[in-house]
Amino acid sequence: MGKQILKLENITKEFPGVRALDGVTFELNEGEVHVLLGENGAGKSTLMKVLAGVHQQNEGRIIYKGEEVKFSNPKQAQDKHIAIIYQEFNLMPNLTVGQNIYLGREPRNKYGLIDKKQMYAKAQEMLDFLQVDIDVQEQVSRLGVAQQQLVEVAKALSIDAEILIMDEPTASLSDPEIEQLFNTIKRLQEQKVSIIYISHRLQELKVVGNRITVIRDGKSIGTRDADKCTMDELITMMVGREIGNARIRLKNTAQTEDAVRVEHVTNRKLEDISIHVKKGEIVGIAGLVGSGRTELANAVYGIDPIKHGKVTLFDRQLRKPSPGLNIRNHMGFIPESRKEDGLALSMSIQKNTTCASLRKLFPSGWINEKKETEVAAGFCKDMKLNTENMEMLVQNLSGGNQQKVVLAKWMCTDSDFLIFDEPTRGIDVGAKEEIHNLMNDLASKGAGIIMISSDLPEILTLSDRIYVMREGRIVKELPGEGTTQEEIIGYAAGKEEKHA
C-alpha cells in the first residue's frame, strides 16, 4: 500500500432528532482495500454519502491528498475522482451500456453533438480493462445483476476514479461472479485505485481487504489489519456480543403432510420443475445467478404465468395462482428486491406492515387506525425494528430495518407457507441471526418454507433439504445435513465432481 490519500476526521452528521455519525475517523491509503464494517443503521452509508457529497457533515474534516476539501454535491466529489457504487444500482435501464457509462459526460464532436462512435469506443476500453464480455450497445435492462454491477465499475473508472466506494458489491452475486469481482479489484489496486469496501459477508473480508474498520451506533470502534484479526473479534466489535454460526436445523421437525407441491411446472424460464415442501420444513433452493431460482418463486406465487404443470397448496390445486389468491390462502412471499417489490417506500411503517392483512384485520372494510397502529407496533417490536415511530416513511430506514418491515408485513398475515428470496441480502450479522431464528421458529410451529439464497453457509445452516438449480431446471436434491458447499457448487456449475 502507498501513502495516505484520505482521512475523514471526527465526522459528525445530524438529522432531525438523530445523530447518525458521532465523531467518526477513517483513513485510506493509496491502492488499499479498506473494509468498512458495521450493523445496519451503524452509519456506514451515511459516512460514505458524506464523502460522496450527498450529505454535508455538521462537524469534522475531509482531508484528501493532504488538503481539506468540502463537497456540497456529488458532482464536486466526482470532479475529485471519488466514485461510489451503491447497493441499488444507479443505472438507466432503457439506455445502452455505453450511454450509461458516459451519461451526462458524453463526448462531443466539433458541432456540439454527441459523438456516439467515440463514446462506445471509450466505453469498450473500460470493459476491456475489466476483462468483461459485454456489448457496449446492449440495453442495460437486458443484463443480469452481475453484469450491471460491472457496468457500474466501468462507469466509475470512466471518471478516472482514484477512490472507489463499493457498497455490498457481492450481495447478489454467485461464487464464480464474486471471484471475477475480486480479480477486478486486484487489477484496480495495481492501478493504485483506493477502494472502500462495505460488506456484511464476513468470510470474504480477509480475502479482499487490507484493513477493516468497524463502526457501531455512529461511532468508530476500531481498525484492524485484515490478516491479523479473527471473525469472532470483528463480530464482537460490531454487535457487542458473540454470534453463533452452528447449524440451526439440528432436528427435522417436518410433518408428513405437504404444505406445497410443485409438479412439472414449465414456463418461458423454467423446465419441468417438481419439488415439494412439508409442513414444518425449510427447503433451500441453491444455484448460480440466472439459474431460475427467483423465477421459480415467481411462478409458485403467481407473479409469472405457468405454461404447464400445477401448484398445490395444502392439498388445494391453484389452477391460476395469483398474489391476491395466495395471500388469502395464507402464502407469504419475501421478495429478493425489498425496495422494488416488497415495500411502498413513500408510505409509513404502519401502512407497510398491515397492507397485506387489511382483509383479515378489518373484515367489515372499515379501518380502525388505533387498532392498525397497535398491530403494526406489535409485529415491528417482534422484529426488533430500531424505531418506535410507526409513521416514519419506510424510505428513511436503513436497509436492514426495511427488511424487518417486509418480514413484519408477512408475519402479520399469519401465513402457513412462506417463500424467502434472499432473506438476508445486505443484512448485517446481528440482524441475520435474528432472521434465521425467526425462520426456524416458524418451521417449528408447522410453517413450510422455501428459502432461496446465494449465501451457501446460510443454505447449509437452515435447510432440511436442498434443491440445486441450473438453467431453469432442478438438477439435484441434497440433504441439508452433511452436504458441503463444494457439492452444491459442483452441481450448480454443471460438474458432478467435488471441488477442493
Side-chain angles (χ1 to χ4, degrees), residues 91 93 95-97 133-135 138-151:
L91 297 173
L95 298 182
T96 66
V97 170
D133 184 19
I134 299 176
D135 185 351
E138 181 70 84
Q139 191 169 299
V140 163
S141 62
R142 298 193 181 103
L143 301 179
V145 173
Q147 291 178 311
Q148 289 186 29
Q149 184 173 73
L150 290 169
V151 173

PDB file of all heavy atoms in Angstrom, residues 91 93 95-97 133-135 138-151:
ATOM      1  N   LEU A  91     -28.329   3.022 -12.509  1.00  0.00           N
ATOM      2  CA  LEU A  91     -28.263   2.893 -13.957  1.00  0.00           C
ATOM      3  C   LEU A  91     -29.614   3.199 -14.584  1.00  0.00           C
ATOM      4  O   LEU A  91     -30.662   3.029 -13.947  1.00  0.00           O
ATOM      5  CB  LEU A  91     -27.831   1.474 -14.352  1.00  0.00           C
ATOM      6  CG  LEU A  91     -26.434   1.021 -13.908  1.00  0.00           C
ATOM      7  CD1 LEU A  91     -26.237  -0.456 -14.216  1.00  0.00           C
ATOM      8  CD2 LEU A  91     -25.356   1.854 -14.581  1.00  0.00           C
ATOM      9  N   PRO A  93     -32.117   1.881 -17.072  1.00  0.00           N
ATOM     10  CA  PRO A  93     -32.331   0.578 -17.716  1.00  0.00           C
ATOM     11  C   PRO A  93     -32.638   0.647 -19.207  1.00  0.00           C
ATOM     12  O   PRO A  93     -32.345  -0.295 -19.934  1.00  0.00           O
ATOM     13  CB  PRO A  93     -33.517  -0.012 -16.934  1.00  0.00           C
ATOM     14  CG  PRO A  93     -34.187   1.160 -16.291  1.00  0.00           C
ATOM     15  CD  PRO A  93     -33.099   2.148 -16.014  1.00  0.00           C
ATOM     16  N   LEU A  95     -31.341   2.721 -21.379  1.00  0.00           N
ATOM     17  CA  LEU A  95     -30.204   3.186 -22.161  1.00  0.00           C
ATOM     18  C   LEU A  95     -29.197   2.054 -22.346  1.00  0.00           C
ATOM     19  O   LEU A  95     -29.226   1.056 -21.626  1.00  0.00           O
ATOM     20  CB  LEU A  95     -29.524   4.368 -21.469  1.00  0.00           C
ATOM     21  CG  LEU A  95     -30.366   5.641 -21.279  1.00  0.00           C
ATOM     22  CD1 LEU A  95     -29.530   6.732 -20.630  1.00  0.00           C
ATOM     23  CD2 LEU A  95     -30.951   6.118 -22.597  1.00  0.00           C
ATOM     24  N   THR A  96     -28.292   2.223 -23.290  1.00  0.00           N
ATOM     25  CA  THR A  96     -27.286   1.200 -23.546  1.00  0.00           C
ATOM     26  C   THR A  96     -26.187   1.254 -22.491  1.00  0.00           C
ATOM     27  O   THR A  96     -26.094   2.203 -21.705  1.00  0.00           O
ATOM     28  CB  THR A  96     -26.650   1.385 -24.931  1.00  0.00           C
ATOM     29  OG1 THR A  96     -25.909   2.616 -24.935  1.00  0.00           O
ATOM     30  CG2 THR A  96     -27.696   1.402 -26.033  1.00  0.00           C
ATOM     31  N   VAL A  97     -25.324   0.238 -22.531  1.00  0.00           N
ATOM     32  CA  VAL A  97     -24.184   0.195 -21.615  1.00  0.00           C
ATOM     33  C   VAL A  97     -23.309   1.426 -21.798  1.00  0.00           C
ATOM     34  O   VAL A  97     -22.939   2.113 -20.841  1.00  0.00           O
ATOM     35  CB  VAL A  97     -23.370  -1.091 -21.847  1.00  0.00           C
ATOM     36  CG1 VAL A  97     -22.050  -1.044 -21.078  1.00  0.00           C
ATOM     37  CG2 VAL A  97     -24.183  -2.320 -21.442  1.00  0.00           C
ATOM     38  N   ASP A 133     -16.944  -9.314 -20.983  1.00  0.00           N
ATOM     39  CA  ASP A 133     -17.512  -9.524 -22.322  1.00  0.00           C
ATOM     40  C   ASP A 133     -18.970  -9.066 -22.330  1.00  0.00           C
ATOM     41  O   ASP A 133     -19.895  -9.854 -22.189  1.00  0.00           O
ATOM     42  CB  ASP A 133     -17.410 -11.008 -22.709  1.00  0.00           C
ATOM     43  CG  ASP A 133     -17.897 -11.260 -24.138  1.00  0.00           C
ATOM     44  OD1 ASP A 133     -17.962 -10.285 -24.922  1.00  0.00           O
ATOM     45  OD2 ASP A 133     -18.212 -12.420 -24.459  1.00  0.00           O
ATOM     46  N   ILE A 134     -19.153  -7.750 -22.479  1.00  0.00           N
ATOM     47  CA  ILE A 134     -20.491  -7.161 -22.545  1.00  0.00           C
ATOM     48  C   ILE A 134     -20.537  -6.248 -23.762  1.00  0.00           C
ATOM     49  O   ILE A 134     -19.605  -5.468 -24.002  1.00  0.00           O
ATOM     50  CB  ILE A 134     -20.822  -6.338 -21.277  1.00  0.00           C
ATOM     51  CG1 ILE A 134     -20.784  -7.217 -20.029  1.00  0.00           C
ATOM     52  CG2 ILE A 134     -22.198  -5.682 -21.400  1.00  0.00           C
ATOM     53  CD1 ILE A 134     -21.004  -6.452 -18.735  1.00  0.00           C
ATOM     54  N   ASP A 135     -21.620  -6.350 -24.532  1.00  0.00           N
ATOM     55  CA  ASP A 135     -21.812  -5.491 -25.700  1.00  0.00           C
ATOM     56  C   ASP A 135     -22.127  -4.073 -25.232  1.00  0.00           C
ATOM     57  O   ASP A 135     -23.116  -3.845 -24.530  1.00  0.00           O
ATOM     58  CB  ASP A 135     -22.951  -6.038 -26.559  1.00  0.00           C
ATOM     59  CG  ASP A 135     -23.136  -5.269 -27.868  1.00  0.00           C
ATOM     60  OD1 ASP A 135     -22.497  -4.211 -28.041  1.00  0.00           O
ATOM     61  OD2 ASP A 135     -23.945  -5.720 -28.699  1.00  0.00           O
ATOM     62  N   GLU A 138     -25.603  -2.908 -25.858  1.00  0.00           N
ATOM     63  CA  GLU A 138     -26.718  -3.661 -25.280  1.00  0.00           C
ATOM     64  C   GLU A 138     -27.480  -2.794 -24.295  1.00  0.00           C
ATOM     65  O   GLU A 138     -26.897  -2.005 -23.548  1.00  0.00           O
ATOM     66  CB  GLU A 138     -26.187  -4.909 -24.569  1.00  0.00           C
ATOM     67  CG  GLU A 138     -27.269  -5.793 -23.946  1.00  0.00           C
ATOM     68  CD  GLU A 138     -28.105  -6.499 -24.993  1.00  0.00           C
ATOM     69  OE1 GLU A 138     -27.680  -7.561 -25.478  1.00  0.00           O
ATOM     70  OE2 GLU A 138     -29.197  -5.971 -25.322  1.00  0.00           O
ATOM     71  N   GLN A 139     -28.794  -2.923 -24.282  1.00  0.00           N
ATOM     72  CA  GLN A 139     -29.615  -2.184 -23.323  1.00  0.00           C
ATOM     73  C   GLN A 139     -29.403  -2.759 -21.929  1.00  0.00           C
ATOM     74  O   GLN A 139     -29.405  -3.978 -21.741  1.00  0.00           O
ATOM     75  CB  GLN A 139     -31.098  -2.283 -23.722  1.00  0.00           C
ATOM     76  CG  GLN A 139     -32.012  -1.350 -22.961  1.00  0.00           C
ATOM     77  CD  GLN A 139     -33.402  -1.293 -23.578  1.00  0.00           C
ATOM     78  OE1 GLN A 139     -33.571  -0.904 -24.721  1.00  0.00           O
ATOM     79  NE2 GLN A 139     -34.394  -1.706 -22.810  1.00  0.00           N
ATOM     80  N   VAL A 140     -29.205  -1.887 -20.940  1.00  0.00           N
ATOM     81  CA  VAL A 140     -28.869  -2.331 -19.583  1.00  0.00           C
ATOM     82  C   VAL A 140     -29.952  -3.223 -18.995  1.00  0.00           C
ATOM     83  O   VAL A 140     -29.662  -4.151 -18.228  1.00  0.00           O
ATOM     84  CB  VAL A 140     -28.596  -1.107 -18.678  1.00  0.00           C
ATOM     85  CG1 VAL A 140     -28.658  -1.488 -17.210  1.00  0.00           C
ATOM     86  CG2 VAL A 140     -27.234  -0.511 -18.999  1.00  0.00           C
ATOM     87  N   SER A 141     -31.206  -2.979 -19.326  1.00  0.00           N
ATOM     88  CA  SER A 141     -32.308  -3.779 -18.770  1.00  0.00           C
ATOM     89  C   SER A 141     -32.197  -5.253 -19.146  1.00  0.00           C
ATOM     90  O   SER A 141     -32.795  -6.107 -18.497  1.00  0.00           O
ATOM     91  CB  SER A 141     -33.654  -3.231 -19.236  1.00  0.00           C
ATOM     92  OG  SER A 141     -33.768  -3.308 -20.650  1.00  0.00           O
ATOM     93  N   ARG A 142     -31.435  -5.562 -20.172  1.00  0.00           N
ATOM     94  CA  ARG A 142     -31.287  -6.950 -20.618  1.00  0.00           C
ATOM     95  C   ARG A 142     -30.115  -7.657 -19.940  1.00  0.00           C
ATOM     96  O   ARG A 142     -29.877  -8.836 -20.178  1.00  0.00           O
ATOM     97  CB  ARG A 142     -31.099  -6.999 -22.141  1.00  0.00           C
ATOM     98  CG  ARG A 142     -32.296  -6.436 -22.928  1.00  0.00           C
ATOM     99  CD  ARG A 142     -32.187  -6.811 -24.397  1.00  0.00           C
ATOM    100  NE  ARG A 142     -33.301  -6.274 -25.155  1.00  0.00           N
ATOM    101  CZ  ARG A 142     -33.224  -5.205 -25.938  1.00  0.00           C
ATOM    102  NH1 ARG A 142     -32.063  -4.574 -26.065  1.00  0.00           N
ATOM    103  NH2 ARG A 142     -34.270  -4.773 -26.601  1.00  0.00           N
ATOM    104  N   LEU A 143     -29.374  -6.937 -19.114  1.00  0.00           N
ATOM    105  CA  LEU A 143     -28.220  -7.517 -18.432  1.00  0.00           C
ATOM    106  C   LEU A 143     -28.615  -8.118 -17.091  1.00  0.00           C
ATOM    107  O   LEU A 143     -29.572  -7.673 -16.455  1.00  0.00           O
ATOM    108  CB  LEU A 143     -27.143  -6.451 -18.206  1.00  0.00           C
ATOM    109  CG  LEU A 143     -26.582  -5.735 -19.437  1.00  0.00           C
ATOM    110  CD1 LEU A 143     -25.542  -4.712 -19.006  1.00  0.00           C
ATOM    111  CD2 LEU A 143     -25.998  -6.716 -20.435  1.00  0.00           C
ATOM    112  N   GLY A 144     -27.853  -9.102 -16.634  1.00  0.00           N
ATOM    113  CA  GLY A 144     -28.039  -9.648 -15.298  1.00  0.00           C
ATOM    114  C   GLY A 144     -27.448  -8.722 -14.246  1.00  0.00           C
ATOM    115  O   GLY A 144     -26.758  -7.744 -14.558  1.00  0.00           O
ATOM    116  N   VAL A 145     -27.716  -9.052 -12.982  1.00  0.00           N
ATOM    117  CA  VAL A 145     -27.254  -8.206 -11.883  1.00  0.00           C
ATOM    118  C   VAL A 145     -25.727  -8.089 -11.876  1.00  0.00           C
ATOM    119  O   VAL A 145     -25.168  -6.997 -11.700  1.00  0.00           O
ATOM    120  CB  VAL A 145     -27.758  -8.762 -10.528  1.00  0.00           C
ATOM    121  CG1 VAL A 145     -27.138  -7.987  -9.367  1.00  0.00           C
ATOM    122  CG2 VAL A 145     -29.276  -8.681 -10.458  1.00  0.00           C
ATOM    123  N   ALA A 146     -25.034  -9.210 -12.060  1.00  0.00           N
ATOM    124  CA  ALA A 146     -23.578  -9.183 -12.030  1.00  0.00           C
ATOM    125  C   ALA A 146     -23.019  -8.314 -13.146  1.00  0.00           C
ATOM    126  O   ALA A 146     -22.065  -7.553 -12.950  1.00  0.00           O
ATOM    127  CB  ALA A 146     -23.023 -10.607 -12.142  1.00  0.00           C
ATOM    128  N   GLN A 147     -23.604  -8.407 -14.340  1.00  0.00           N
ATOM    129  CA  GLN A 147     -23.150  -7.590 -15.457  1.00  0.00           C
ATOM    130  C   GLN A 147     -23.433  -6.109 -15.201  1.00  0.00           C
ATOM    131  O   GLN A 147     -22.611  -5.243 -15.523  1.00  0.00           O
ATOM    132  CB  GLN A 147     -23.828  -8.055 -16.746  1.00  0.00           C
ATOM    133  CG  GLN A 147     -23.379  -9.425 -17.222  1.00  0.00           C
ATOM    134  CD  GLN A 147     -24.126  -9.856 -18.464  1.00  0.00           C
ATOM    135  OE1 GLN A 147     -25.354  -9.786 -18.524  1.00  0.00           O
ATOM    136  NE2 GLN A 147     -23.399 -10.309 -19.472  1.00  0.00           N
ATOM    137  N   GLN A 148     -24.585  -5.801 -14.625  1.00  0.00           N
ATOM    138  CA  GLN A 148     -24.908  -4.407 -14.317  1.00  0.00           C
ATOM    139  C   GLN A 148     -23.906  -3.829 -13.322  1.00  0.00           C
ATOM    140  O   GLN A 148     -23.518  -2.659 -13.422  1.00  0.00           O
ATOM    141  CB  GLN A 148     -26.327  -4.307 -13.756  1.00  0.00           C
ATOM    142  CG  GLN A 148     -27.413  -4.552 -14.785  1.00  0.00           C
ATOM    143  CD  GLN A 148     -28.800  -4.308 -14.239  1.00  0.00           C
ATOM    144  OE1 GLN A 148     -28.999  -3.499 -13.343  1.00  0.00           O
ATOM    145  NE2 GLN A 148     -29.783  -5.024 -14.772  1.00  0.00           N
ATOM    146  N   GLN A 149     -23.483  -4.646 -12.370  1.00  0.00           N
ATOM    147  CA  GLN A 149     -22.511  -4.154 -11.397  1.00  0.00           C
ATOM    148  C   GLN A 149     -21.187  -3.820 -12.070  1.00  0.00           C
ATOM    149  O   GLN A 149     -20.543  -2.806 -11.747  1.00  0.00           O
ATOM    150  CB  GLN A 149     -22.286  -5.198 -10.304  1.00  0.00           C
ATOM    151  CG  GLN A 149     -21.353  -4.702  -9.206  1.00  0.00           C
ATOM    152  CD  GLN A 149     -21.283  -5.687  -8.081  1.00  0.00           C
ATOM    153  OE1 GLN A 149     -20.678  -6.729  -8.228  1.00  0.00           O
ATOM    154  NE2 GLN A 149     -21.893  -5.371  -6.967  1.00  0.00           N
ATOM    155  N   LEU A 150     -20.767  -4.640 -13.030  1.00  0.00           N
ATOM    156  CA  LEU A 150     -19.527  -4.367 -13.739  1.00  0.00           C
ATOM    157  C   LEU A 150     -19.655  -3.117 -14.612  1.00  0.00           C
ATOM    158  O   LEU A 150     -18.678  -2.392 -14.818  1.00  0.00           O
ATOM    159  CB  LEU A 150     -19.137  -5.587 -14.575  1.00  0.00           C
ATOM    160  CG  LEU A 150     -18.681  -6.791 -13.742  1.00  0.00           C
ATOM    161  CD1 LEU A 150     -18.568  -8.037 -14.607  1.00  0.00           C
ATOM    162  CD2 LEU A 150     -17.362  -6.508 -13.046  1.00  0.00           C
ATOM    163  N   VAL A 151     -20.864  -2.848 -15.106  1.00  0.00           N
ATOM    164  CA  VAL A 151     -21.101  -1.591 -15.818  1.00  0.00           C
ATOM    165  C   VAL A 151     -20.915  -0.407 -14.865  1.00  0.00           C
ATOM    166  O   VAL A 151     -20.340   0.624 -15.237  1.00  0.00           O
ATOM    167  CB  VAL A 151     -22.506  -1.569 -16.452  1.00  0.00           C
ATOM    168  CG1 VAL A 151     -22.819  -0.190 -17.037  1.00  0.00           C
ATOM    169  CG2 VAL A 151     -22.621  -2.631 -17.539  1.00  0.00           C
TER     170      VAL A 151
END
